Amino acid sequence: YQGSITIPVIINILEDANHPVTQAHINSQIAILNEDYNDMNPGTGGVPNEFNNAVADVDITFVVAAINRKASTKTSWGTNDAMKHSNLGGIDATDPANNLNFWICEIGGGILGYAQFPGGELDTDGVVIGSDYFGENPAGGQYGHGRTATHEVGHWLNLRHIWGDGGCRQDDFVADTPSSDRANYGCPSYPTVHCKTNDMTMNYMDYVDDNCMYMFTNGQNDRMRAIFSTGGARESFVN
Ligand code: ARG
Ligand code: ZN
Ligand code: CA
């Protein structure tokens, strides 16, 4: 699928008084997503020369369609999707074939967020983000600049981790991301070499600090766009 894509976003918040999610957090998160998915992250100027031609403008715009709030005293929701079901204390998804549902809650276990890949059950489709890691939020520390959502939406759009979650031969099914055998953390210096080539540590699908990730590649863009084509798992968003 070619051309601009607009994704309506539903923000489902399970409110924990100790970890508030404010309108300012929401606004900053949407602004960050729109920067990152339109090649407007100011950090992109730091992309090394060898990766410059690979930088993609994904051309996806995220627009808030609704904000749902529900009080919750649960401080550790985990990753079993309970937050996505009202009968389990959560909030039911809104029309997931036509909206990207976010759930913001206290996940616990040091988990920043998680996502469902395309092609799964509709009622659990979407992205979960820990309350402190949604938007610009000092409480999130080095993960307080909204890039967990950028990374998780990448999974929701069918992207794998850049190192393929395995050794040097394990692919992420993207040709222009160099092979690696591990996640990178913190803010790696360039070059960082694994599998005999320089890692693209600044890719959104690595595990570095929020301020140290600032690119998707053209190959990742192709992989994301394929799911919006005829017969693709997210075709309903463009029709
Ligand atoms: N660990 C999470 C995942 O694999 C998210 C990592 C996000 N990284 C970040 N700098 N915010 O889905
Ligand atoms: Zn991930
Ligand atoms: Ca690759």
mmCIF file of all heavy atoms in Angstrom, residues 7 19 33 35 44 47 49 57 68 71 75 85 92 103 114 131 139 147 155 165 169 172 202 204 217 231 239:
data_model
loop_
_atom_site.group_PDB
_atom_site.id
_atom_site.type_symbol
_atom_site.label_atom_id
_atom_site.label_comp_id
_atom_site.label_asym_id
_atom_site.label_seq_id
_atom_site.Cartn_x
_atom_site.Cartn_y
_atom_site.Cartn_z
ATOM 1 N N ILE A 7 -4.184 6.648 11.294
ATOM 2 C CA ILE A 7 -4.640 5.618 12.239
ATOM 3 C C ILE A 7 -5.372 6.287 13.406
ATOM 4 O O ILE A 7 -4.746 7.018 14.198
ATOM 5 C CB ILE A 7 -3.433 4.818 12.808
ATOM 6 C CG1 ILE A 7 -2.578 4.219 11.681
ATOM 7 C CG2 ILE A 7 -3.897 3.767 13.807
ATOM 8 C CD1 ILE A 7 -3.011 2.896 11.170
ATOM 9 N N HIS A 19 0.322 6.945 39.600
ATOM 10 C CA HIS A 19 0.969 7.029 38.278
ATOM 11 C C HIS A 19 0.007 7.661 37.285
ATOM 12 O O HIS A 19 -0.475 6.997 36.366
ATOM 13 C CB HIS A 19 1.402 5.634 37.807
ATOM 14 C CG HIS A 19 2.359 4.974 38.745
ATOM 15 N ND1 HIS A 19 3.722 5.126 38.649
ATOM 16 C CD2 HIS A 19 2.139 4.186 39.824
ATOM 17 C CE1 HIS A 19 4.311 4.447 39.620
ATOM 18 N NE2 HIS A 19 3.374 3.861 40.361
ATOM 19 N N LEU A 33 4.835 10.037 18.445
ATOM 20 C CA LEU A 33 4.516 9.020 17.421
ATOM 21 C C LEU A 33 4.502 9.654 16.032
ATOM 22 O O LEU A 33 5.054 9.095 15.080
ATOM 23 C CB LEU A 33 3.154 8.380 17.710
ATOM 24 C CG LEU A 33 3.111 7.291 18.786
ATOM 25 C CD1 LEU A 33 1.665 6.959 19.134
ATOM 26 C CD2 LEU A 33 3.848 6.036 18.316
ATOM 27 N N GLU A 35 6.004 12.387 15.014
ATOM 28 C CA GLU A 35 7.387 12.714 14.608
ATOM 29 C C GLU A 35 8.096 11.466 14.097
ATOM 30 O O GLU A 35 8.669 11.464 12.998
ATOM 31 C CB GLU A 35 8.189 13.243 15.806
ATOM 32 C CG GLU A 35 7.952 14.705 16.114
ATOM 33 C CD GLU A 35 8.808 15.186 17.282
ATOM 34 O OE1 GLU A 35 9.815 14.517 17.632
ATOM 35 O OE2 GLU A 35 8.458 16.222 17.839
ATOM 36 N N THR A 44 17.370 12.249 14.408
ATOM 37 C CA THR A 44 17.736 11.539 13.178
ATOM 38 C C THR A 44 18.980 12.133 12.523
ATOM 39 O O THR A 44 19.685 11.444 11.777
ATOM 40 C CB THR A 44 16.534 11.514 12.199
ATOM 41 O OG1 THR A 44 15.407 10.981 12.896
ATOM 42 C CG2 THR A 44 16.806 10.642 10.993
ATOM 43 N N VAL A 47 22.135 10.003 12.646
ATOM 44 C CA VAL A 47 22.286 8.719 11.942
ATOM 45 C C VAL A 47 23.645 8.681 11.245
ATOM 46 O O VAL A 47 23.992 9.620 10.519
ATOM 47 C CB VAL A 47 21.148 8.516 10.911
ATOM 48 C CG1 VAL A 47 21.400 7.300 10.031
ATOM 49 C CG2 VAL A 47 19.800 8.378 11.630
ATOM 50 N N ASN A 49 26.600 7.970 8.520
ATOM 51 C CA ASN A 49 26.553 8.022 7.055
ATOM 52 C C ASN A 49 26.151 6.706 6.410
ATOM 53 O O ASN A 49 25.369 6.699 5.464
ATOM 54 C CB ASN A 49 27.918 8.430 6.496
ATOM 55 C CG ASN A 49 28.106 9.935 6.582
ATOM 56 O OD1 ASN A 49 27.121 10.680 6.563
ATOM 57 N ND2 ASN A 49 29.333 10.381 6.707
ATOM 58 N N ASP A 57 10.693 7.623 5.763
ATOM 59 C CA ASP A 57 9.521 8.381 6.195
ATOM 60 C C ASP A 57 8.336 7.434 6.037
ATOM 61 O O ASP A 57 7.901 7.156 4.922
ATOM 62 C CB ASP A 57 9.349 9.627 5.325
ATOM 63 C CG ASP A 57 8.107 10.430 5.694
ATOM 64 O OD1 ASP A 57 7.312 9.956 6.529
ATOM 65 O OD2 ASP A 57 7.940 11.527 5.131
ATOM 66 N N ASN A 68 -10.685 6.783 27.074
ATOM 67 C CA ASN A 68 -11.528 6.110 28.068
ATOM 68 C C ASN A 68 -10.746 5.948 29.360
ATOM 69 O O ASN A 68 -9.608 5.487 29.335
ATOM 70 C CB ASN A 68 -11.948 4.725 27.553
ATOM 71 C CG ASN A 68 -12.668 4.801 26.231
ATOM 72 O OD1 ASN A 68 -13.523 5.657 26.040
ATOM 73 N ND2 ASN A 68 -12.316 3.908 25.306
ATOM 74 N N ALA A 71 -11.128 3.807 36.874
ATOM 75 C CA ALA A 71 -10.299 3.731 38.086
ATOM 76 C C ALA A 71 -9.878 2.289 38.335
ATOM 77 O O ALA A 71 -10.631 1.350 38.078
ATOM 78 C CB ALA A 71 -11.076 4.272 39.274
ATOM 79 N N THR A 75 -1.956 -2.762 40.733
ATOM 80 C CA THR A 75 -0.646 -2.156 40.483
ATOM 81 C C THR A 75 0.254 -3.052 39.640
ATOM 82 O O THR A 75 1.371 -2.676 39.301
ATOM 83 C CB THR A 75 0.076 -1.859 41.804
ATOM 84 O OG1 THR A 75 0.113 -3.063 42.568
ATOM 85 C CG2 THR A 75 -0.647 -0.777 42.591
ATOM 86 N N HIS A 85 -10.135 -6.478 29.021
ATOM 87 C CA HIS A 85 -11.457 -7.079 29.225
ATOM 88 C C HIS A 85 -12.147 -6.436 30.418
ATOM 89 O O HIS A 85 -11.631 -6.492 31.538
ATOM 90 C CB HIS A 85 -11.307 -8.589 29.456
ATOM 91 C CG HIS A 85 -10.673 -9.304 28.304
ATOM 92 N ND1 HIS A 85 -11.331 -9.534 27.120
ATOM 93 C CD2 HIS A 85 -9.425 -9.812 28.141
ATOM 94 C CE1 HIS A 85 -10.523 -10.183 26.281
ATOM 95 N NE2 HIS A 85 -9.357 -10.349 26.871
ATOM 96 N N ASP A 92 -12.749 -2.820 27.532
ATOM 97 C CA ASP A 92 -12.856 -3.536 26.259
ATOM 98 C C ASP A 92 -12.336 -2.680 25.101
ATOM 99 O O ASP A 92 -12.511 -1.463 25.095
ATOM 100 C CB ASP A 92 -14.316 -3.914 25.970
ATOM 101 C CG ASP A 92 -14.836 -4.972 26.938
ATOM 102 O OD1 ASP A 92 -14.027 -5.812 27.384
ATOM 103 O OD2 ASP A 92 -16.042 -4.943 27.247
ATOM 104 N N TRP A 103 -3.692 0.520 25.740
ATOM 105 C CA TRP A 103 -4.065 0.415 27.154
ATOM 106 C C TRP A 103 -2.892 0.920 27.971
ATOM 107 O O TRP A 103 -1.738 0.489 27.763
ATOM 108 C CB TRP A 103 -4.377 -1.034 27.543
ATOM 109 C CG TRP A 103 -5.679 -1.517 27.003
ATOM 110 C CD1 TRP A 103 -6.905 -1.433 27.606
ATOM 111 C CD2 TRP A 103 -5.914 -2.174 25.748
ATOM 112 N NE1 TRP A 103 -7.870 -1.988 26.812
ATOM 113 C CE2 TRP A 103 -7.297 -2.448 25.665
ATOM 114 C CE3 TRP A 103 -5.091 -2.545 24.675
ATOM 115 C CZ2 TRP A 103 -7.864 -3.084 24.553
ATOM 116 C CZ3 TRP A 103 -5.650 -3.166 23.579
ATOM 117 C CH2 TRP A 103 -7.022 -3.432 23.519
ATOM 118 N N TYR A 114 4.011 -3.911 25.756
ATOM 119 C CA TYR A 114 3.980 -5.062 24.848
ATOM 120 C C TYR A 114 2.884 -4.860 23.819
ATOM 121 O O TYR A 114 1.995 -4.025 24.002
ATOM 122 C CB TYR A 114 3.849 -6.398 25.597
ATOM 123 C CG TYR A 114 2.504 -6.716 26.218
ATOM 124 C CD1 TYR A 114 1.590 -7.539 25.568
ATOM 125 C CD2 TYR A 114 2.177 -6.226 27.479
ATOM 126 C CE1 TYR A 114 0.368 -7.859 26.151
ATOM 127 C CE2 TYR A 114 0.953 -6.545 28.070
ATOM 128 C CZ TYR A 114 0.057 -7.359 27.407
ATOM 129 O OH TYR A 114 -1.153 -7.677 27.980
ATOM 130 N N SER A 131 2.252 2.947 32.711
ATOM 131 C CA SER A 131 1.801 4.331 32.936
ATOM 132 C C SER A 131 2.929 5.361 32.935
ATOM 133 O O SER A 131 2.724 6.488 32.494
ATOM 134 C CB SER A 131 1.071 4.453 34.268
ATOM 135 O OG SER A 131 0.485 3.265 34.660
ATOM 136 N N ALA A 139 8.970 10.551 35.292
ATOM 137 C CA ALA A 139 8.913 9.312 36.078
ATOM 138 C C ALA A 139 9.447 8.122 35.284
ATOM 139 O O ALA A 139 9.845 7.105 35.865
ATOM 140 C CB ALA A 139 7.470 9.038 36.511
ATOM 141 N N ARG A 147 9.153 6.622 23.509
ATOM 142 C CA ARG A 147 9.592 5.725 22.431
ATOM 143 C C ARG A 147 9.197 4.275 22.665
ATOM 144 O O ARG A 147 9.310 3.451 21.744
ATOM 145 C CB ARG A 147 11.105 5.855 22.235
ATOM 146 C CG ARG A 147 11.491 7.270 21.824
ATOM 147 C CD ARG A 147 11.799 7.400 20.362
ATOM 148 N NE ARG A 147 11.374 8.680 19.824
ATOM 149 C CZ ARG A 147 11.865 9.881 20.165
ATOM 150 N NH1 ARG A 147 12.807 9.994 21.078
ATOM 151 N NH2 ARG A 147 11.384 10.967 19.607
ATOM 152 N N HIS A 155 5.900 -3.221 16.434
ATOM 153 C CA HIS A 155 5.472 -4.631 16.507
ATOM 154 C C HIS A 155 4.043 -4.792 15.978
ATOM 155 O O HIS A 155 3.748 -5.721 15.236
ATOM 156 C CB HIS A 155 5.508 -5.134 17.955
ATOM 157 C CG HIS A 155 6.872 -5.363 18.517
ATOM 158 N ND1 HIS A 155 7.859 -6.052 17.855
ATOM 159 C CD2 HIS A 155 7.416 -5.019 19.719
ATOM 160 C CE1 HIS A 155 8.947 -6.112 18.622
ATOM 161 N NE2 HIS A 155 8.704 -5.487 19.758
ATOM 162 N N ASP A 165 15.831 -11.556 17.533
ATOM 163 C CA ASP A 165 15.661 -12.367 18.756
ATOM 164 C C ASP A 165 16.455 -13.673 18.708
ATOM 165 O O ASP A 165 16.030 -14.682 19.298
ATOM 166 C CB ASP A 165 14.168 -12.680 19.023
ATOM 167 C CG ASP A 165 13.373 -11.434 19.380
ATOM 168 O OD1 ASP A 165 13.792 -10.705 20.306
ATOM 169 O OD2 ASP A 165 12.356 -11.165 18.710
ATOM 170 N N ARG A 169 22.516 -15.506 12.458
ATOM 171 C CA ARG A 169 21.771 -15.982 11.285
ATOM 172 C C ARG A 169 20.274 -15.776 11.433
ATOM 173 O O ARG A 169 19.519 -16.087 10.522
ATOM 174 C CB ARG A 169 22.055 -17.480 11.050
ATOM 175 C CG ARG A 169 23.521 -17.854 11.084
ATOM 176 C CD ARG A 169 24.196 -17.618 9.741
ATOM 177 N NE ARG A 169 23.649 -18.458 8.686
ATOM 178 C CZ ARG A 169 24.097 -19.674 8.384
ATOM 179 N NH1 ARG A 169 25.093 -20.197 9.051
ATOM 180 N NH2 ARG A 169 23.551 -20.354 7.397
ATOM 181 N N ASP A 172 15.460 -10.630 10.907
ATOM 182 C CA ASP A 172 14.258 -9.855 11.258
ATOM 183 C C ASP A 172 13.378 -9.678 10.016
ATOM 184 O O ASP A 172 12.420 -8.900 10.050
ATOM 185 C CB ASP A 172 14.638 -8.503 11.880
ATOM 186 C CG ASP A 172 15.373 -7.598 10.901
ATOM 187 O OD1 ASP A 172 15.798 -8.074 9.821
ATOM 188 O OD2 ASP A 172 15.532 -6.397 11.214
ATOM 189 N N MET A 202 20.563 2.684 16.618
ATOM 190 C CA MET A 202 19.622 3.828 16.686
ATOM 191 C C MET A 202 18.260 3.492 16.080
ATOM 192 O O MET A 202 17.401 4.356 15.987
ATOM 193 C CB MET A 202 20.229 5.071 16.016
ATOM 194 C CG MET A 202 20.590 4.945 14.561
ATOM 195 S SD MET A 202 21.953 3.787 14.209
ATOM 196 C CE MET A 202 23.319 4.491 15.129
ATOM 197 N N TYR A 204 14.482 2.093 16.017
ATOM 198 C CA TYR A 204 13.406 2.025 17.021
ATOM 199 C C TYR A 204 13.160 0.603 17.513
ATOM 200 O O TYR A 204 12.580 0.411 18.580
ATOM 201 C CB TYR A 204 12.099 2.579 16.440
ATOM 202 C CG TYR A 204 12.126 4.057 16.137
ATOM 203 C CD1 TYR A 204 11.935 4.520 14.838
ATOM 204 C CD2 TYR A 204 12.338 4.990 17.152
ATOM 205 C CE1 TYR A 204 11.939 5.882 14.551
ATOM 206 C CE2 TYR A 204 12.354 6.353 16.873
ATOM 207 C CZ TYR A 204 12.154 6.792 15.573
ATOM 208 O OH TYR A 204 12.173 8.133 15.299
ATOM 209 N N THR A 217 13.922 1.869 8.857
ATOM 210 C CA THR A 217 14.533 1.767 7.529
ATOM 211 C C THR A 217 13.463 1.618 6.447
ATOM 212 O O THR A 217 12.299 1.301 6.728
ATOM 213 C CB THR A 217 15.464 0.547 7.418
ATOM 214 O OG1 THR A 217 14.673 -0.648 7.469
ATOM 215 C CG2 THR A 217 16.525 0.539 8.513
ATOM 216 N N GLY A 231 -5.723 -7.893 1.129
ATOM 217 C CA GLY A 231 -5.490 -9.190 1.744
ATOM 218 C C GLY A 231 -4.595 -9.122 2.969
ATOM 219 O O GLY A 231 -4.434 -10.124 3.679
ATOM 220 N N ASN A 239 -9.451 1.076 4.090
ATOM 221 C CA ASN A 239 -10.640 0.942 3.251
ATOM 222 C C ASN A 239 -11.890 1.444 3.970
ATOM 223 O O ASN A 239 -11.889 1.645 5.145
ATOM 224 C CB ASN A 239 -10.834 -0.507 2.823
ATOM 225 C CG ASN A 239 -9.845 -0.886 1.744
ATOM 226 O OD1 ASN A 239 -9.506 -0.060 0.902
ATOM 227 N ND2 ASN A 239 -9.376 -2.106 1.786
#
